[in-house]
Structures are given as C-alpha cells and as structure tokens.
Amino acid sequence: MDFLRPATLAEALELKAARPDAVPIAGGTDVMVELNFDHRRPAALLDLTRVEELRTVTEARIGSGVPYARIIDELGTTHPGLAMASRTVGSPQIRNRGTVGGNLGAASPAGDTHPVLLASDAVVEVASARGTRMIPATEFYLGVKRNALEPDELIVAVHLAPAQGPQQFSKVGTRNAMVIAVCSFAISLFPAENRAGAAVGSAAPTPRRAHEAEEFLAAELDFSSPAPLLDSVKRRFGELVATAAAPIDDVRGSAEYRRHALAVLARRTLGWVWQELLDGEQACA
C-alpha cells in the first residue's frame, strides 16, 4: 500500500488525479477501522492532515479537515445543530480526530452530521485538478456509503450559513455514548422564510429530508406571531417524519422501532425549537 502525504491542496489534487484509487484519510476514524478489520485494502492512502487549506473555519465555510472538537468549541453559537451533532460523535478522542469531511466521504446513513447538513441547506464544496464543484447536500448522498464524488475529487469544505433560528439534533442509540445511531433527526427553523428544515438519519439507505413534514410545518407554524404549539401539530409532524424513513431491521433495532423513535424525536425537537423561538420573542418584547 502506497502512502501519499501532500503538503498543499494543489498537491493533494494532483496526487488524486494521478491516483484516483487513493483513499483520502484525515482523522482516520472510519478508514483505519476498516483497515484494521481487513474490510478494505486500498492501493494507496492519501493523507490530508498536513493540508492547512482544509482546516480553516469561517462562519459560513467549514474546511473538510476541521475536527468535531473545533466545531463544538468555535461554532456552537452560529451553528448550534451541527455542534449538537458533533457532541454525540464517539469519544473525546474521536471528536479530536474525526471530521465532517470524513463523515461526508464515508456517506454512512448513520453519520451523525448528515441530518443537520440536510436540514440546514448545506452545500458541499468538492475539487479536483479540473476545477471546483458545489453540490447541495440533498444531492450528495447516492446510496449506502455512496456519494456524488468523482474518482479524482476531494471534499474541500462544507458551506453552511449561520443559523437563522433555533436548531436541534437528537439521536437514539443502544446506550448513552460512543454509539452508532439507531436513528437520528435534525430540525432547523428559518423564521424569516416562514419554513423549517427536517431530516432523518440511520433510517433509510441515505440520510434524507422529510419533505412532507416540512410542508406541513410551513402551513401550520405562524412565525409572524408565534404561539404555543398544539399537541396535534407535534403529533402529526412526528407521523410525517416517520413516513419519510425507509428503515430496515438490523442488530441495532427493528424498522418498526426506528419509525416509532423518529416520530418521538420529531415531536420533542419541534417542541424544543419552537419553545426556544417563543422564549426569544418574549425576551425581545
């Protein structure tokens, strides 16, 4: 196995063009597990840890090599949903190494950041020696552990505008920490646009938006004059989120349980973000 270690993004893209079979590695929290268990044996590894261009953060652009720990520390106010999801990833050691870019590259349906990226209208910046492309998160996930990258492309950054309103992320696992999600859910409110984003994870071949649930909230929520939500609205929202899923039975949970859990997560998180909106309105009054 060849080990390639570029120092700049330009060098990394040249190496990837010459060796499209090279597997990128940043934190290594997914790739090294697969190597250790002999689940894959790539011809080459492309180590990106020295590429500083991938480790920059602004309020609207997060480099693909930025670890979860920095997202938690630096973006908790501007991107609360992503910070919440990052806090649920593995252990402190994993959060210090793992990256959102790695999460996207692995494209596992159970990746913790995916529902937040979908619900928050994120766009993935990818590049090759041929140029740069911007791929909406809704178009990035193609199947189980399959994404929209071409063989010579690398994930460079995630473009994610600061939160316009309250956000929440929640997941269910077989224990309280260091666990792969049985299912997960994210919601983002966009008060200025009179809408909400909602997405599910670990409950379909890919992470996916809950479009019918979003349309329901757009019709039911009054952002101009917010009032406490009716229980019937929260219940119906949960039902629509559950119908957006296409779960399977596996060792972590049954399809039936996943649908039930998603409905509960959706009801609860909707209640939390709406109450946060109400509290903000009262504070401004």
Side-chain angles (χ1 to χ4, degrees):
M1 184 187 301
D2 295 329
F3 188 74
L4 312 174
R5 202 176 189 205
T8 66
L9 179 58
E11 185 183 351
L13 296 178
E14 289 176 4
L15 287 171
K16 186 61 171 166
R19 295 292 304 272
D21 58 346
V23 174
I25 181 169
T29 57
D30 285 324
V31 173
M32 292 308 299
V33 172
E34 294 178 337
L35 293 178
N36 288 339
F37 283 96
D38 206 26
H39 290 166
R40 72 192 300 186
R41 189 60 54 179
L45 288 178
L46 181 61
D47 178 19
L48 301 175
T49 55
R50 295 172 63 198
V51 181
E52 284 300 318
E53 295 102 312
L54 303 181
R55 302 175 69 83
T56 59
V57 177
T58 68
E59 281 195 351
R61 185 180 184 274
I62 304 166
S64 61
V66 175
Y68 298 113
R70 282 187 61 194
I71 292 172
I72 295 166
D73 292 341
E74 300 175 28
L75 301 177
T77 300
T78 55
H79 298 80
L82 187 60
M84 289 176 194
S86 297
R87 290 188 189 98
T88 73
V89 175
S91 63
Q93 295 91 333
I94 296 296
R95 292 192 289 275
N96 281 329
R97 294 286 303 176
T99 64
V100 174
N103 222 204
L104 285 164
S108 167
D112 289 322
T113 64
H114 303 321
V116 176
L117 298 180
L118 288 168
S120 304
D121 299 334
V123 176
V124 183
E125 178 185 347
V126 306
S128 69
R130 298 175 288 109
T132 300
R133 288 197 299 151
M134 305 297 285
I135 308 174
T138 51
E139 300 173 13
F140 187 79
Y141 310 102
L142 302 183
V144 178
K145 296 189 176 182
R146 292 194 301 113
N147 59 44
L149 286 176
E150 297 294 336
D152 63 341
E153 289 181 322
L154 295 174
I155 300 168
V156 175
V158 175
H159 292 253
L160 190 63
Q164 296 182 27
Q167 298 178 339
Q168 278 287 336
F169 170 83
S170 190
K171 78 177 186 181
V172 170
T174 53
R175 57 187 181 185
N176 286 335
M178 296 181 62
V179 64
I180 298 173
V182 174
C183 62
S184 59
F185 178 74
I187 183 170
S188 296
L189 297 187
F190 298 85
E193 302 174 34
N194 296 300
R195 67 180 181 91
V200 302
S202 201
T206 65
R208 57 173 59 171
R209 292 282 287 260
H211 292 294
E212 288 189 26
E214 292 176 349
E215 293 169 2
F216 171 74
L217 288 186
E220 291 291 331
L221 299 182
D222 184 358
F223 287 96
S224 62
S225 182
L229 285 181
L230 296 174
D231 286 341
S232 58
V233 171
K234 290 185 279 190
R235 282 197 304 272
R236 182 56 181 159
F237 177 66
E239 291 169 358
L240 290 172
V241 166
T243 62
I248 60 171
D249 298 328
D250 64 15
V251 295
R252 286 179 284 123
S254 67
E256 181 181 3
Y257 175 74
R258 283 184 163 94
R259 289 193 181 92
H260 169 74
L262 281 172
V264 174
L265 292 181
R267 290 200 306 266
R268 289 178 178 175
T269 54
L270 174 59
W272 295 336
V273 291
W274 194 251
Q275 187 59 51
E276 186 178 342
L277 185 74
L278 289 176
D279 292 344
E281 290 287 328
Q282 292 170 359
C284 294

